[in-house]
Amino acid sequence: MRYLLVLLLSFTANAAQLGDNPIVLVHGWGFQFLVSMKPFRNILVDAGVPANRIHLVKYSSRASVDVITNELASQYKKVLESYPSGTRIDVIAHSLGHFVALYALMKAGLSTHVANYIGLAGVAHGQDELSGICDTGFCGETVPRLAPYNNAFIREFYETHQGEMALLSKCSLFSSDDRSVDSPHDSGAFLDGKNQQVLGF
């Protein structure tokens, strides 16, 4: 995880360092106690990022994409309202969070409030294969919409928001050793972003 932090520091796209902007951490799919971004928050704090500038948001990962969008958008707005007008945030999202966090920002018209958008082992463009438990309905409503990889739902989203997306500073970290996000493992990568393979994770 410390190595990931070094990479993140090197990937911030503007002149600011990670922590100069408020940071919003968005978790992935699963039970809150398993997917919490609190350990990652602690790493950032240990690295010198002020704790009061790191914001954890949460969403119902088994809900529909519209419900998740409403949940995240209201939390983004609350974070932004706590800072002076014109403040921009850095968003760091993991796994499913890499898609839903971005989706909510675009649908809520908040993309201009983002300085850096960072995905960790994300599924921003979906997956060809889902876990077998998804066949039982356990994965909820949103995860199945992200299969197969780069499907019509995903393509329509990016095509609709391509102007806003082009203005976002984006980066993605992924690993071919990842056994959860592996079809493909670089689903979070953007052609106009900074993309980094991290082996051994």
Side-chain angles (χ1 to χ4, degrees), residues 3-68:
Y3 178 56
L4 290 179
L5 179 62
V6 171
L7 282 172
L8 287 176
L9 290 169
S10 69
F11 269 101
T12 46
N14 58 17
Q17 291 298 308
L18 196 63
D20 286 355
N21 301 315
I23 298 172
V24 175
L25 299 179
V26 185
H27 64 79
W29 182 90
F31 297 111
Q32 292 288 329
F33 71 94
L34 291 175
V35 297
S36 171
M37 294 289 275
K38 286 181 182 177
F40 190 72
R41 176 186 179 275
N42 294 339
I43 290 172
L44 293 174
V45 171
D46 289 346
V49 178
N52 64 350
R53 294 180 67 80
I54 305 173
H55 305 271
L56 297 167
V57 297
K58 60 184 180 179
Y59 61 93
S60 308
S61 62
R62 297 180 70 239
S64 71
V65 70
D66 291 331
V67 168
I68 293 172

Side-chain angles (χ1 to χ4, degrees), residues 68-70 72-73 76 99-110 157:
I68 293 172
T69 294
N70 290 334
L72 289 176
Y76 292 147
F99 178 80
V100 297
L102 188 58
Y103 190 91
L105 285 166
M106 295 296 161
K107 292 295 183 179
L110 297 172
F157 165 63

